[in-house]
Amino acid sequence: QNNIIQHLKLRTRRDYKFFLPIQTRWKDNDVYGHVNNVVYYSFFDTVINTYLIERGGLDLQDAKVIGLCVESHCQYKKPLSFPNIIDVGLSVGKIGKSSVKYEGSGTDICFWILCTCLC
């Protein structure tokens, strides 16, 4: 995991081909005044599924293949809070026989997600 995160830290904006700005919401803040850790994973779902719909032709109502997240990691650079906007860059790190590894970085976060596709 450390090697992957170090790799992501070295990437720059031009290493990503797809970007999605995500507006934090008031309800994302926890009692400590920052975005709760679990909310970041909904950001990842949002950027990956938006990518698949816009660029991959995913039809959520009639999809024959689904993707399940089987492994994920997030490293937080600093706390975020409402009303921050996170500009998330996404790339496909590796395509396997039945899996796709997405890599992403955004305002103050970096993450990787391993998604296994099932038919």
Side-chain angles (χ1 to χ4, degrees):
Q1 288 183 1
N2 286 338
N3 289 343
I4 293 170
I5 294 299
Q6 293 304 322
H7 162 74
L8 290 175
K9 285 182 177 178
L10 296 175
R11 298 187 84 178
T12 64
R13 186 170 175 84
R14 64 178 185 258
D15 292 316
Y16 299 98
K17 304 295 184 220
F18 184 80
F19 293 90
L20 184 69
I22 298 177
Q23 173 68 58
T24 57
R25 304 162 302 174
W26 174 253
K27 72 177 193 170
D28 295 337
N29 281 6
D30 60 19
V31 297
Y32 303 108
H34 59 63
V35 171
N36 189 281
N37 293 353
V38 72
V39 176
Y40 288 86
Y41 288 87
S42 72
F43 298 159
F44 308 157
D45 281 342
T46 298
V47 72
I48 291 169
N49 283 299
T50 300
Y51 171 78
L52 290 172
I53 291 166
E54 291 182 3
R55 303 280 175 89
L58 176 63
D59 178 356
L60 295 175
Q61 304 305 313
D62 198 31
K64 304 292 187 245
V65 175
I66 64 167
L68 300 173
C69 179
V70 297
E71 185 176 0
S72 63
H73 180 80
C74 179
Q75 183 168 8
Y76 309 96
K77 299 176 189 172
K78 70 178 188 178
L80 297 174
S81 62
F82 175 81
N84 289 127
I85 296 174
I86 306 164
D87 190 27
V88 180
L90 182 72
S91 66
V92 175
K94 180 180 178 185
I95 298 175
K97 292 180 182 177
S98 64
S99 65
V100 177
K101 184 177 94 177
Y102 296 100
E103 299 174 349
S105 184
T107 312
D108 304 318
I109 59 171
C110 56
F111 68 91
W112 58 269
I113 303 286
L114 180 61
C115 178
T116 297
C117 299
L118 302 176
C119 300

